[in-house]
């Protein structure tokens, strides 16, 4: 017996979603023998994009039953059934999460019609439910609503059963939930962690910090530590007693706080990160003809770099793109070794600075534009990034090219008032690593808001 179902949710962070609609058809392999269709009040906000997709809004769900009120019916209609869904791992995870909130373990075997379709009907252009059913001539109504999608999945599954004459593929595709490989004490730790961006601290039984990390999803990252099979992961699993964390909202804040915490605490499993996190940098000099030359070299030179890189390769990649963006000569950017003109000049993509044809003033103006953009030497600026919640932003202060610290402000604050701004900032160390972190983050996040304080 099968329970073919579809679930619509609120959307949102992993394992924090709620069900807004559910449709279940009990199917004996030939016909539908029972059905349950209901809206569900998720008791949480529905993401705007989900409202646009499904048409289900909070007003519609105001008087709908809450999950605990429909849970018994769901248990009854799926009892002794294999759950079938299009992308069953999603629907099954959502159901398990809802039951877990009630303190009830929900376990069923599952079948995924996406995976079955890929095996039994290969070479389709798409295996999304809408496109697949359309291509197979399966009628469908109420797309992105639980009842319409569940009924389409019933018809698709019936077709798949007919194609699998020996029922071998279907049998092999049934997934039985394995017992968690994570020890119970580690599961308890995971349960308390958020799925947010921040820094986490892994402690041993004495309270000592043995590892510090950052992640866009703290819970997911800790699960990776607790299920990892490499030497470091196994040692962490053996020694961990508790995990504390600090939400940062901003990934830049997490990177800076992680770097500072590792330097201050020197955890035993952070040895690699205690060393300098960048190896190469971009430098400049003016040649005998008056042209500014750019080159990548190791970051241990005495002169101050324009910007820094994790590897030589990432530095070279940056330079190739910068040379295109700023129309710079390959010879004067150390990308093409020659005693005469560069390759770009030969194909009429270089203005001839390599052979003194282009006036040095016009060429240097473009080079200085690059330097100005990617170096914050002598700059006074604010970097504005995400906060820890929707009504908050993070702010990073740089004065005279020196990173002063960071803080958070409510959207009602006027951060252009210097006195208010100073009170919001928590001082942090300025060093080569923080400069590298900030410059790399600015390069990767071009839409970041930067406020010039000059």
């Amino acid at each position: 017996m099968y329970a073919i179902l579809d679930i619509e949710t609120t959307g949102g962070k992993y394992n924090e979603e709620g069900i807004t609609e559910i449709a279940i058809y009990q199917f004996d392999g030939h016909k539908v023998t029972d059905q349950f269709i209901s809206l569900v009040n998720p008791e949480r906000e529905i993401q705007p994009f989900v409202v646009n997709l499904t048409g289900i809004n909070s007003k519609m769900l105001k008087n709908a039953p809450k999950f605990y009120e429909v849970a018994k019916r769901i248990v009854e209609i799926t009892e002794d059934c294999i759950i079938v869904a299009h992308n069953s791992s999603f629907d099954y995870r959502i159901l398990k999460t809802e039951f877990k909130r009630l303190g009830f373990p929900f376990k069923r075997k599952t079948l995924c019609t996406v995976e079955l379709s890929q095996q039994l009907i290969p070479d389709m252009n798409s295996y999304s439910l809408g496109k697949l059913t359309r291509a197979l001539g399966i009628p469908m109504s109420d797309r992105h609503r639980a009842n319409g999608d569940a009924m389409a999945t019933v018809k698709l599954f019936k077709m798949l059963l007919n194609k699998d004459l020996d029922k071998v593929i279907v049998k092999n595709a049934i997934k039985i939930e394995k017992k968690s490989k994570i020890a119970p004490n580690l599961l308890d730790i995971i349960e308390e962690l958020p799925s947010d961006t921040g820094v986490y601290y892994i402690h041993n039984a004495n309270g000592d910090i043995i590892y510090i990390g950052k992640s866009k999803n703290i819970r997911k990252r800790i699960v990776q530590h607790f299920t990892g099979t490499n030497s470091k992961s196994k040692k962490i699993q053996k020694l961990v007693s508790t995990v504390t964390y600090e939400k940062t909202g901003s990934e830049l804040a997490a990177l800076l706080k992680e770097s500072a915490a590792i330097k201050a605490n020197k955890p035993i499993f952070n040895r690699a990160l205690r060393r300098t996190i960048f190896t190469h940098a971009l430098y400049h000099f003016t040649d005998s003809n008056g042209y500014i030359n750019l080159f990548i070299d190791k970051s241990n030179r005495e002169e101050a770099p324009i910007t820094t890189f994790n590897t030589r390769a990432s530095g070279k990649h940056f330079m190739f793109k910068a040379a295109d963006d700023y129309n710079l000569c390959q010879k004067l950017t150390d990308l093409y070794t020659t005693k005469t003109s560069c390759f770009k000049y030969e194909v009429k993509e270089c203005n001839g600075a390599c052979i003194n044809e282009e006036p040095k003033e016009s060429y240097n103006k473009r080079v200085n534009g690059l330097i100005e953009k990617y170096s914050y030497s002598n700059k006074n600026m604010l970097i504005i990034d995400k906060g820890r919640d929707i009504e908050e932003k993070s702010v990073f202060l740089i004065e005279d090219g020196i990173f002063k610290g960071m803080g958070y402000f409510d959207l009602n604050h006027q951060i252009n008032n210097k006195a208010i701004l100073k009170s919001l900032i928590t001082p942090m160390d300025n060093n080569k690593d923080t400069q590298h972190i900030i410059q790399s983050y600015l390069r990767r996040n071009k839409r970041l808001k930067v406020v010039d304080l000059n």
Side-chain angles (χ1 to χ4, degrees), residues 23 102 132 175 198-199 205 208 221 237 306 315 332 385:
L102 301 178
L132 184 60
K175 291 176 185 169
V199 182
D208 302 324
R221 186 70 189 96
Q237 290 159 25
I306 297 166
L332 302 188
D385 204 1

Side-chain angles (χ1 to χ4, degrees), residues 78-296:
T78 61
E79 194 82 62
D80 299 322
C81 290
I82 297 163
I83 285 180
V84 178
H86 208 68
N87 189 13
S88 61
S89 60
F90 171 79
D91 298 79
Y92 184 48
R93 175 179 67 80
I94 297 294
L95 269 179
K96 284 200 302 174
T97 301
E98 289 280 19
F99 277 106
K100 191 175 182 181
R101 288 174 188 147
L102 301 178
F104 184 87
F106 183 80
K107 261 191 178 181
R108 300 288 186 268
K109 295 176 182 178
T110 60
L111 257 178
C112 179
T113 51
V114 175
E115 294 174 12
L116 270 180
S117 300
Q118 288 168 340
Q119 292 181 68
L120 292 165
I121 318 170
D123 304 321
M124 298 299 289
N125 289 330
S126 171
Y127 289 92
S128 72
L129 186 61
K131 290 180 180 176
L132 184 60
T133 51
R134 197 179 307 124
L136 296 172
I138 296 171
M140 188 175 192
S141 60
D142 288 335
R143 180 77 178 106
H144 297 302
R145 289 296 298 268
N147 187 31
D149 287 4
M151 182 46 71
T153 307
V154 170
K155 292 169 183 173
L156 172 63
F157 185 58
K158 200 170 182 178
M159 181 183 288
L160 294 170
L161 285 177
N162 291 334
K163 283 184 175 291
D164 187 21
L165 298 174
D166 300 323
K167 301 296 177 277
V168 173
I169 292 174
V170 171
K171 282 176 188 173
N172 290 340
I174 294 171
K175 291 176 185 169
I176 299 170
E177 189 181 354
K178 295 183 178 74
K179 286 187 178 178
S180 174
K181 293 179 181 176
I182 303 177
N185 65 311
L186 302 185
L187 284 171
D188 290 340
I189 292 171
I190 291 165
E191 192 60 37
E192 300 300 316
L193 299 174
S195 302
D196 297 292
T197 299
V199 182
Y200 58 88
Y201 308 85
I202 299 178
H203 304 257
N204 63 16
N206 297 324
D208 302 324
I209 298 172
I210 58 173
Y211 186 80
I212 297 170
K214 73 90 199 165
S215 178
K216 289 182 180 179
N217 185 326
I218 293 171
R219 179 185 289 189
K220 189 175 180 182
R221 186 70 189 96
I222 293 297
V223 168
Q224 289 171 344
H225 283 303
F226 289 177
T227 55
T229 55
N230 61 34
S231 173
K232 185 175 80 173
S233 292
K234 285 180 177 177
K235 287 174 184 174
I236 287 174
Q237 290 159 25
K238 191 175 180 181
L239 294 173
V240 61
S241 175
T242 187
V243 176
T244 57
Y245 62 87
E246 180 183 0
K247 290 185 188 181
T248 62
S250 158
E251 188 186 2
L252 176 56
L255 286 162
L256 291 168
K257 285 176 178 283
E258 176 198 35
S259 177
I262 290 170
K263 282 181 170 61
N265 293 279
K266 298 179 173 58
I268 57 171
F269 295 120
N270 282 106
R271 286 201 180 94
L273 288 173
R274 278 189 238 148
R275 296 193 294 272
T276 302
I277 57 177
F278 59 91
T279 60
H280 288 74
L282 176 64
Y283 299 95
H284 73 288
F285 70 92
T286 303
D287 65 22
S288 57
N289 296 313
Y291 292 93
I292 299 173
N293 286 232
L294 300 171
F295 64 101
I296 305 289

Side-chain angles (χ1 to χ4, degrees), residues 35-48:
Q35 67 182 56
F36 173 67
I37 302 158
S38 179
L39 289 170
V40 180
N41 183 341
E43 302 181 86
R44 64 197 66 216
E45 186 185 354
I46 306 173
Q47 298 294 310

